[in-house]
């Protein structure tokens, strides 16, 4: 599937790191075109740090509160990614807004998972906002990171039906299960070169079952 060596991936986290875990688990397969070489957190108390260490993966904390500016924080982040010799960067619940200077340095090589069907519900509290709007189908998206917050070209999405008695938490739990499926897949597609960012658009080849649709409420 992949030409040559496996792509080196650094995962950026701020919290519990369940998406990071899904990426680590997927990378254990011998045919996986990427390996996770490091985990970087901007928060010293991120739960995902312990999980990563338990998995034998190098971890680094770059505490954003110790820097005077976003740029100064990002300079150290960039240098750290270079030390890890990262080919690709996976933002897995990394809750920092990035400057255009930083995103342009990693353009086409940095992916983010977001808990909504973008371009709907950029930003925070996506599940609550979806419930307030009364949508019947919600979901998650992996996209290339650009200077446009949560607005970069889409790589993969999963749709999740909204149920009548859903709360933000129950909906989040079902969306998260799909996040854990699509993030490793997106990374695999990019690491293997089947999907790439070109002139501001996602291009490449992929397959999808043309007969599958999520209908909610169901038709029967
Ligand atoms: C995930 O739901 C992810 O989509 C979201 O944070 C959660 C992190 O969970 N990311 C964002 O909201 C980014 N805008 P995790 O730490 O268990 O992977």
């Amino acid at each position: 599937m992949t030409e040559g060596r496996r792509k080196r991936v650094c995962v950026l986290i701020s919290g519990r790191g369940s998406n990071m875990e899904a990426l680590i688990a997927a990378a254990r397969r011998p045919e996986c075109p990427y390996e996770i070489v490091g985990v970087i957190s901007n928060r010293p108390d991120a739960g995902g740090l312990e999980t990563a260490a338990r998995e034998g993966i190098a971890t680094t904390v770059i505490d954003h509160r110790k820097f005077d500016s976003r740029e100064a924080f990002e300079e150290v982040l960039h240098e750290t990614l270079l030390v890890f010799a990262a080919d690709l960067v996976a933002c897995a619940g990394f809750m920092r807004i990035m400057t255009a200077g930083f995103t342009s340095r990693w353009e086409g090589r940095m992916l983010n998972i977001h808990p909504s069907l973008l371009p709907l519900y950029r930003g925070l509290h996506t599940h609550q906002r979806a419930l307030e709007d009364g949508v019947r189908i919600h979901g998650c998206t992996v996209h290339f990171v650009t200077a446009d917050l949560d607005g970069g070209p889409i790589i993969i999405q999963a749709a999740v039906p909204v149920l009548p008695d859903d709360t933000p938490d129950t909906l989040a739990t079902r969306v998260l299960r799909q996040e854990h499926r699509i993030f490793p897949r997106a990374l695999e597609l990019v690491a293997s070169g089947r999907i790439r960012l070109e002139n501001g658009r996602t291009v490449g080849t992929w397959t999808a079952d043309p007969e599958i649709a999520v209908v909610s409420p169901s038709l029967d």
Side-chain angles (χ1 to χ4, degrees):
M1 165 184 289
T2 180
E3 286 171 28
R5 64 173 181 83
R6 301 168 95 195
K7 293 286 188 293
R8 297 173 63 83
V9 175
C10 263
V11 185
L12 307 188
I13 62 167
S14 300
R16 108 198 112 174
S18 71
N19 275 291
M20 170 206 77
E21 267 187 271
L23 297 177
I24 293 171
R28 277 200 214 100
R29 292 168 306 133
E31 71 275 19
C32 186
Y34 63 85
E35 59 182 319
I36 306 296
V37 295
V39 170
I40 303 171
S41 172
N42 67 307
R43 303 192 69 97
D45 59 349
L49 285 168
E50 253 180 51
T51 317
R54 235 184 359 251
E55 297 284 345
I57 292 168
T59 62
T60 303
V61 175
I62 308 172
D63 188 342
H64 65 277
R65 293 166 304 185
K66 296 197 169 143
F67 296 86
D68 291 336
S69 66
R70 220 171 263 286
E71 287 78 7
F73 165 74
E74 288 174 344
E75 196 52 44
V76 173
L77 179 56
H78 182 71
E79 290 301 321
T80 308
L81 291 169
L82 295 184
V83 169
F84 277 118
D87 299 302
L88 296 168
V89 181
C91 302
F94 184 61
M95 306 307 270
R96 294 300 297 161
I97 292 172
M98 297 170 185
T99 67
F102 182 75
T103 57
S104 69
R105 283 162 121 173
W106 291 93
E107 195 167 288
R109 299 185 292 152
M110 183 156 58
L111 286 63
N112 179 51
I113 180 104
H114 184 77
S116 78
L117 287 175
L118 291 171
L120 283 174
Y121 310 122
R122 296 179 183 201
L124 299 174
H125 310 300
T126 56
H127 310 303
Q128 189 180 326
R129 286 156 63 204
L131 289 175
E132 280 166 10
D133 283 349
V135 299
R136 290 291 169 270
I137 296 175
H138 185 46
C140 48
T141 303
V142 181
H143 63 94
F144 286 111
V145 177
T146 64
D148 190 12
L149 181 66
D150 297 332
I154 292 168
I155 299 167
I156 190 169
Q157 295 185 302
V160 173
V162 178
L163 302 179
D165 44 8
D166 260 333
T167 64
D169 281 350
T170 60
L171 187 52
T173 301
R174 293 204 310 288
V175 170
L176 192 64
R177 280 208 288 275
Q178 300 311 313
E179 294 184 34
H180 297 164
R181 298 176 68 201
I182 66 170
F183 205 2
R185 182 70 184 141
L187 201 50
E188 190 181 305
L189 288 167
V190 174
S192 65
R194 283 171 62 190
I195 281 188
R196 63 193 182 281
L197 182 67
E198 219 172 81
N199 301 321
R201 293 189 70 85
T202 299
V203 297
T205 53
W206 63 85
T207 54
D209 183 340
E211 299 308 323
I212 284 187
V214 176
V215 180
S216 173
S218 56
L219 300 176
D220 43 34

